[in-house]
Amino acid sequence: MKPPVTIPLAYHPSFSDAEMLQRAELFYQQMNQRRTVRHFSNRPVDQAVIEAAIRSAGTSPSGANLQPWHFVAISNRDIKRTIRLAAEEEEREFYAHRAPPEWLAALEPLGTDSNKPFLEDAPWLIACMVQPYGFKEDGSQLKHYYAVESTGIAVGMLITCLHQAGLATLTHTPSPMKFLNAILNRPAFERPFLLLVVGHPVLDAQVPDIHRKSLNQIATILK
């Protein structure tokens, strides 16, 4: 086996413990303001902002650095309308026939239903696709290891970057989502991971009164 080709680590700042804590706390305070929004204004968002956020997502770690993702950014009104109609059809079926009572009860405090106007109202939709495999230069298949996990990390970085840019987001996962392949002309080997709604909230936007778990509830520190 050939040794890997390496280059010097380009960025490795050295902060004191106090500086690290300050930066970590500041970032937490910024991210703690992030909320899922369901009421978007039609205020435009420059395409360059969306592209920069997707580039940030593309820096995410992935299994064997195979980068098993593809992002389709949509601002076209007709395509957004088509996506909304297809998503609402699946959602009506889900809420009426497929969703277990426990899931409907969990969703009730959030006020969600099969009506999804935000899919048209927001200036951008980003279809996040996962690629379970790719192709080598000779056309043969190349398995992507940890494709779902890697794509999930990349989407998290995408959401974080958009929030830092001052934009609101909503993660939408109609089930099933295969209609996105047809509408967006994506290859059959790609699978929709989620549909990210992106834009500015309306001025009087309201969000559910929810609370996040405490550190003690989400972490165990072993020393």
Side-chain angles (χ1 to χ4, degrees):
M1 180 180 294
K2 294 181 180 179
V5 178
T6 62
I7 59 174
L9 177 63
Y11 178 73
H12 184 65
S14 179
F15 299 116
S16 68
D17 288 351
E19 289 172 322
M20 287 191 289
L21 178 58
Q22 181 182 33
R23 291 168 67 91
E25 290 285 1
L26 177 59
F27 186 76
Y28 164 71
Q29 291 168 16
Q30 293 170 339
M31 294 309 300
N32 197 37
Q33 299 301 311
R34 190 208 60 78
R35 292 296 304 273
T36 294
V37 168
R38 290 180 172 80
H39 301 97
F40 290 84
S41 78
N42 59 5
R43 177 182 166 188
V45 173
D46 194 306
Q47 179 178 324
V49 177
I50 302 300
E51 292 177 351
I54 293 174
R55 284 200 303 271
S56 292
T59 69
S60 176
S62 61
N65 192 40
L66 294 175
Q67 304 166 58
W69 47 64
H70 190 87
F71 301 93
V72 184
I74 307 125
S75 65
N76 181 283
R77 294 183 62 86
D78 292 338
I79 298 176
K80 289 193 296 181
R81 173 66 175 171
T82 302
I83 289 174
R84 177 185 177 180
L85 293 175
E88 288 184 338
E89 181 179 353
E90 294 293 351
E91 291 286 81
R92 284 192 294 270
E93 176 67 19
F94 172 79
Y95 277 88
H97 303 293
R98 295 201 304 269
E102 296 84 0
W103 180 231
L104 293 177
L107 290 173
E108 187 174 359
L110 304 180
T112 62
D113 56 29
S114 60
N115 188 38
K116 309 297 179 183
F118 46 75
L119 294 175
E120 284 190 273
D121 296 340
W124 288 94
L125 304 178
I126 303 178
C128 306
M129 315 292 285
V130 58
Q131 299 174 335
Y133 62 88
F135 297 93
K136 300 178 183 178
E137 291 184 1
D138 62 5
S140 60
Q141 284 191 17
L142 173 65
K143 178 179 173 61
H144 287 165
Y145 295 93
Y146 303 104
V148 172
E149 294 87 345
S150 299
T151 302
I153 297 171
V155 171
M157 293 181 66
L158 176 61
I159 293 170
T160 301
C161 182
L162 291 167
H163 176 73
Q164 291 292 91
L167 294 171
T169 58
L170 179 145
T171 54
H172 183 47
T173 53
S175 179
M177 291 189 285
K178 200 64 177 177
F179 61 84
L180 287 173
N181 288 70
I183 295 172
L184 302 177
N185 195 30
R186 298 307 305 163
F189 72 90
E190 284 186 358
R191 295 203 311 264
F193 184 78
L194 62 77
L195 191 59
L196 191 65
V197 186
V198 182
H200 295 279
V202 295
L203 292 178
D204 59 347
Q206 299 286 309
V207 294
D209 184 14
I210 61 173
H211 303 280
R212 294 186 168 102
K213 292 181 178 180
S214 68
L215 177 63
N216 289 338
Q217 291 174 299
I218 66 172
T220 298
I221 311 299
L222 303 177
K223 300 178 65 175

